[in-house]
Amino acid sequence: MKNLNIIGQSMIGAAMLILAASCQKEDILTEKLDANNNLAVTATVTGREFTLVPDANGRLLIDNTAGTYKPGDIINLKGNFKAVQVVNVSGSASAPITIRNLAGNAVKIGDPAWNGGAYSVGCVFWNSHYIRFGGQSGQSQIVISGSTQGAKEAYYDLQIGNKSDNIEVSNLTIENGGNGIVAKTDPVTGDATTQYPNTTMNNLLIHDLVIKGTANEAMYIGHTATYWDLTANAPYYGATAGMATSHQYVQPIMWKNVKIYNNKVMNIGKDGIQTAAIDHLEVYNNEVTNWAMEKNSAHNGGILIGGRTINTNTHDNYVHDGWGELCQFYGSGGSGVTHIIHNNLFRNGSGDGVSMRGYANAIVQFTNNTIAYTMGNSLRINGSTGQTGVQIVNGNAFIRPHNAVAPIYDKYYIYTEQNAQVQEGTGTLVNKKFPTWLSAQVNAANYYLPLAGSPMGTAGYRKLN
């Protein structure tokens, strides 16, 4: 056993969050490295396990520029940390580097007292790859607790940035702060590797987390800007014909292969699980409740399948009791592209239940979902941005739209506008439509499962396990 003193390494400095006013929401993080903070970290290594503790200021930098940590190593965290910064740390596909709590020791990360200035991120992965991060047992062994102060919206609890990929985050709790998880890379002038399609970030797993009490989104996965104006350093969402001729525009990097599953998300200021710019996205077996607490109609999706997403599968989720819409879809179509929304329970929302406004003739297979107790329509499809192909809507249960205020017209169950089209199933694939809970004869206390004799039949959601 020996002590390693790692002194004078680069630290990640202040992160400035700018909240854009556009309804196409975009959080812009100015990501910056500040050198020579002269912080000390002591590591004790036995074999290929390292135990790292906070420095005198409660911070930890893990900068692997010198190659201290090798594929397959385990880094154990011990103590309470105001910030943990993981820089240039890479395992391999066959031997990732694991960062976890030391067995028998609960770890806290973050600064609830932060109210502006440097260290506005609790835990950050920067130019790091093939990492597993999470607690050894349960979700209480690592807790990331963000700012509770007036400036909390500018605080990131967990950031995955600067092209970091092949990351697995699991078995921890994230609370308070601004954004729970932010996983994206902003384009940088003069660095073509920060632009699509020159680079793709691969493989992100987020599972078995509790995220609660964030002021902004619980998860902000993928870059929401359609284009990035490098000249103005700002997002651009308009048509290419409207671009300023004197400005340089690029597209942000996309993720490929993202899975978000087995998470509990609750008491969130804005969107619950927000995604964008992903090829092959699977969102499943999550529970999202009480989102959009700030009641902002531009940030009100329980689960949001955002722009520049292709090949998505949203299934077996339970989304309920929130101010906004239960699920929103903005994905894109294309040759061979598929989108599936299947076997989800969406109930008790203050707007439309599920809304779609996709691009490039996106086609969604919307099957065996239950949408119940909405203040607006059960399902609303708007073709104004290009989702004008025939949507497949089969075997769903639509219960009590428009707050059951009579008369309930058929269009309240599936509302189409701006040239949107729907093909409804027949026979065993028919959609069942009920103006009231009583007419559906379902057990509202048991995931809206049909009672004996219910006319719902095989339509709608069925809870797995």
Side-chain angles (χ1 to χ4, degrees):
M1 186 182 339
K2 65 178 181 178
N3 290 329
L4 302 178
N5 291 315
I6 307 168
I7 303 176
Q9 301 182 68
S10 299
M11 291 298 295
I12 293 185
M16 179 177 66
L17 182 68
I18 304 169
L19 297 177
S22 168
C23 64
Q24 301 267 8
K25 38 194 177 293
E26 172 61 16
D27 296 331
I28 308 162
L29 183 66
T30 301
E31 299 166 318
K32 176 184 175 186
L33 291 176
D34 288 341
N36 301 320
N37 282 302
N38 201 36
L39 297 181
V41 175
T42 299
T44 302
V45 57
T46 304
R48 295 310 302 177
E49 284 200 23
F50 297 74
T51 295
L52 303 184
V53 299
D55 71 355
N57 296 308
R59 304 181 185 117
L60 172 66
L61 168 68
I62 307 173
D63 186 343
N64 203 35
T65 302
T68 301
Y69 307 108
K70 308 296 184 185
D73 284 354
I74 296 173
I75 298 174
N76 296 305
L77 304 179
K78 181 181 179 181
N80 295 328
F81 303 80
K82 286 188 175 180
V84 174
Q85 301 166 330
V86 181
V87 184
N88 304 321
V89 177
S90 293
S92 68
S94 60
I97 290 176
T98 299
I99 301 176
R100 65 189 191 185
N101 65 295
L102 181 66
N105 291 264
V107 169
K108 287 190 176 181
I109 301 172
D111 187 0
W114 183 90
N115 203 26
Y119 300 102
S120 61
V121 180
C123 181
V124 58
F125 293 88
W126 191 267
N127 189 35
S128 296
H129 312 275
Y130 297 104
I131 303 291
R132 291 176 177 169
F133 172 55
Q136 290 206 50
S137 60
Q139 295 156 334
S140 62
Q141 295 298 291
I142 296 181
V143 176
I144 302 176
S145 189
S147 170
T148 60
Q149 308 306 310
K152 61 187 177 183
E153 288 194 359
Y155 191 94
Y156 285 6
D157 297 320
L158 172 61
Q159 181 197 1
I160 300 169
N162 192 19
K163 299 173 287 185
S164 296
D165 70 351
N166 290 284
I167 304 286
E168 179 177 4
V169 179
S170 65
N171 297 312
L172 53 86
T173 294
I174 296 173
E175 61 186 12
N176 305 321
N179 294 79
I181 303 176
V182 176
K184 68 184 182 78
T185 293
D186 286 330
V188 175
T189 301
D191 185 354
T193 67
T194 63
Q195 304 163 15
Y196 179 82
N198 303 327
T199 300
T200 300
M201 298 179 298
N202 296 290
N203 305 321
L204 176 63
L205 301 180
I206 300 173
H207 64 93
D208 295 283
L209 308 184
V210 172
I211 304 181
K212 58 185 179 180
T214 64
N216 302 324
E217 294 82 3
M219 298 188 197
Y220 191 117
I221 312 302
H223 212 299
T224 61
T226 310
Y227 296 93
W228 191 263
D229 182 345
L230 289 173
T231 308
N233 195 31
Y236 178 79
Y237 301 100
T240 55
M243 293 178 174
T245 56
S246 59
H247 287 212
Q248 181 184 1
Y249 299 86
V250 298
Q251 286 197 297
I253 301 173
M254 291 182 68
W255 280 98
K256 187 170 185 178
N257 299 325
V258 174
K259 292 187 177 184
I260 301 170
Y261 59 98
N262 295 351
N263 302 292
K264 293 186 181 297
V265 173
M266 65 194 78
N267 306 329
I268 305 301
K270 295 180 179 174
D271 299 311
I273 298 174
Q274 175 188 290
T275 65
I278 300 168
D279 178 5
H280 285 86
L281 166 67
E282 188 174 10
V283 180
Y284 63 99
N285 203 35
N286 302 284
E287 182 176 356
V288 181
T289 186
N290 196 29
W291 67 96
M293 291 174 63
E294 68 174 29
K295 298 186 177 181
N296 182 337
S297 60
H299 305 269
N300 72 337
I303 292 178
L304 192 157
I305 308 302
R308 298 178 70 212
T309 56
I310 55 176
N311 301 309
T312 68
N313 188 358
T314 306
H315 64 93
D316 299 291
N317 299 287
Y318 179 33
V319 185
H320 62 100
D321 297 291
W323 180 83
E325 296 178 331
L326 298 151
C327 181
Q328 299 173 338
F329 174 85
Y330 300 98
S332 295
S335 177
V337 171
T338 62
H339 293 286
I340 297 169
I341 301 178
H342 175 74
N343 198 48
N344 301 279
L345 175 55
F346 301 118
R347 70 164 181 85
N348 293 78
S350 65
D352 291 323
V354 176
S355 67
M356 299 187 193
R357 194 189 296 258
Y359 295 81
N361 197 32
I363 304 295
V364 178
Q365 301 173 49
F366 192 84
T367 57
N368 290 97
N369 303 285
T370 294
I371 305 177
Y373 276 69
T374 58
M375 298 299 289
N377 307 290
S378 298
L379 171 62
R380 185 174 192 140
I381 306 172
N382 187 315
S384 62
T385 55
Q387 191 174 352
T388 55
V390 178
Q391 310 301 310
I392 307 302
V393 181
N394 292 338
N396 302 283
F398 302 119
I399 303 172
R400 198 181 179 275
H402 271 252
N403 200 27
V405 177
I408 299 294
Y409 298 108
D410 191 62
K411 66 179 181 180
Y412 294 163
Y413 299 106
I414 304 175
Y415 190 95
T416 58
E417 57 190 336
Q418 299 292 315
N419 300 314
Q421 303 179 69
V422 165
Q423 176 180 305
E424 294 193 59
T426 59
T428 59
L429 301 180
V430 71
N431 298 300
K432 298 298 182 71
K433 303 171 183 178
F434 306 101
T436 65
W437 166 68
L438 286 175
S439 63
Q441 296 183 44
V442 293
N443 187 346
N446 189 25
Y447 302 99
Y448 283 74
L449 295 178
L451 298 169
S454 168
M456 195 162 98
T458 59
Y461 168 83
R462 298 295 186 274
K463 190 177 187 304
L464 299 179
N465 300 326

